[in-house]
Structure formats: structure tokens, C-alpha cells
Amino acid sequence: MIELREFTLDDYDVAFALWQDSAPGIGLSRSDTRDEIAKKLQRDPDLFLVATDDGKLIGTVFGGYDGRRGLIYHLAVARVYRGNGLGKILMAEVEKRMAAKGCLKSYLLVKRENEDVIEFYQGLGWDVMDITIMGKNLDAGKKEMC
């Protein structure tokens, strides 16, 4: 039976492996280490959800809300569960939770060439925006993007 619950650090290794299996769709960086995820959990633990099937982690959605805007960081579903509506269920739940916090608008990032994923999100009511994303590494000693 599939259930949704909040992520705990005990889920980290399995969730990270799921994110890696979703590459290149999910870009992983040093912000996805266990220590960095632990920091994020202190802020929005209720916006980081996992789906399980008989206790086995099969999907995640990782959202955040800064008091003004929401952001979806990672949505991933195990390959054998894709196409069955689990991604839609995870997104609906995290969107509901962001709205309950007062979030009026949320964003997510998708690589342009990932057309299937763009189509998936458009089917959920998300709009493609004509913007340029810019980033800056705030740790001058590192070259990798945050």
C-alpha cells in the first residue's frame, strides 16, 4: 500500500540513490549532501515528503517556502512506479502544504531539453516562464554551483 509521509534523515541514502537514478533530470550538487539536507529539514520538514510502498521508499518531493515564494527542488519516482500518478500525488500534497503556509506562487527548475518533464508539469498547471536563471557560488573556494 502506498503511503505519503515526511522525510527523515534515515531516508537519506535511499532518497539520494533515487535522485541519482533520475539523473540527468535531477541535478545533484553539494547542496544535496546529508549535512545540507539536515539544515533544510530544520526549516521546512513538512515540505519534504516521501512515498513508500509497504515501507520501501519509491518517491520523493522536496519543496521549500521562504515566506514569499515556494520552490520545488526534487521530484523523483522510482522507475517501476512512473506513469501511475505517483508524481501527481506527491506534487498535489506539497502544493497543498505550501498553500496552507500562505505561499501564493511557487517555482521549479527544469532543463529545457527535458521535454517530457516540462509536459508533465504543464499538465499539472505549471507555466513555462521566459526568464534567465542566474547563480552565484557563495563559497569562493568552490567552483560547483549551489
Side-chain angles (χ1 to χ4, degrees):
M1 181 167 116
I2 295 178
E3 296 179 338
L4 299 185
R5 65 170 171 77
E6 292 180 11
F7 175 94
T8 71
L9 280 179
D10 291 338
D11 298 315
Y12 177 81
D13 291 333
V14 177
F16 191 82
L18 179 62
W19 300 338
Q20 285 179 311
D21 190 50
S22 297
I26 292 181
L28 297 174
S29 71
R30 62 191 169 131
S31 295
D32 294 303
T33 65
R34 181 185 297 271
D35 289 343
E36 293 302 309
I37 295 295
K39 289 181 203 175
K40 179 68 177 101
L41 282 176
Q42 293 175 14
R43 181 172 179 93
D44 296 310
D46 56 325
L47 299 180
F48 196 163
L49 306 174
V50 297
T52 61
D53 186 4
D54 289 328
K56 179 183 174 188
L57 193 146
I58 59 168
T60 69
V61 66
F62 180 10
Y65 176 57
D66 66 7
R68 184 167 184 270
R69 295 285 189 249
L71 185 66
I72 303 298
Y73 296 98
H74 299 325
L75 171 67
V77 173
R79 290 182 190 276
V80 297
Y81 288 87
R82 292 181 190 164
N84 295 321
L86 183 55
K88 291 178 185 179
I89 292 167
L90 285 163
M91 285 298 295
E93 182 63 24
V94 77
E95 288 174 20
K96 180 178 92 176
R97 290 175 180 222
M98 284 193 289
K101 289 178 170 270
C103 182
L104 300 177
K105 187 168 190 166
S106 187
Y107 301 106
L108 56 85
L109 305 176
V110 180
K111 295 178 182 177
R112 287 184 189 151
E113 64 272 11
N114 206 340
E115 294 175 8
D116 291 342
V117 172
I118 291 170
E119 186 176 311
F120 167 79
Y121 285 119
Q122 285 178 314
L124 298 179
W126 290 78
D127 297 316
V128 173
M129 301 171 67
D130 185 23
I131 61 172
T132 298
I133 300 294
M134 298 177 69
K136 182 177 182 180
N137 190 338
L138 301 180
D139 182 353
K142 305 281 183 178
K143 292 283 184 191
E144 180 185 350
M145 287 300 299
C146 307

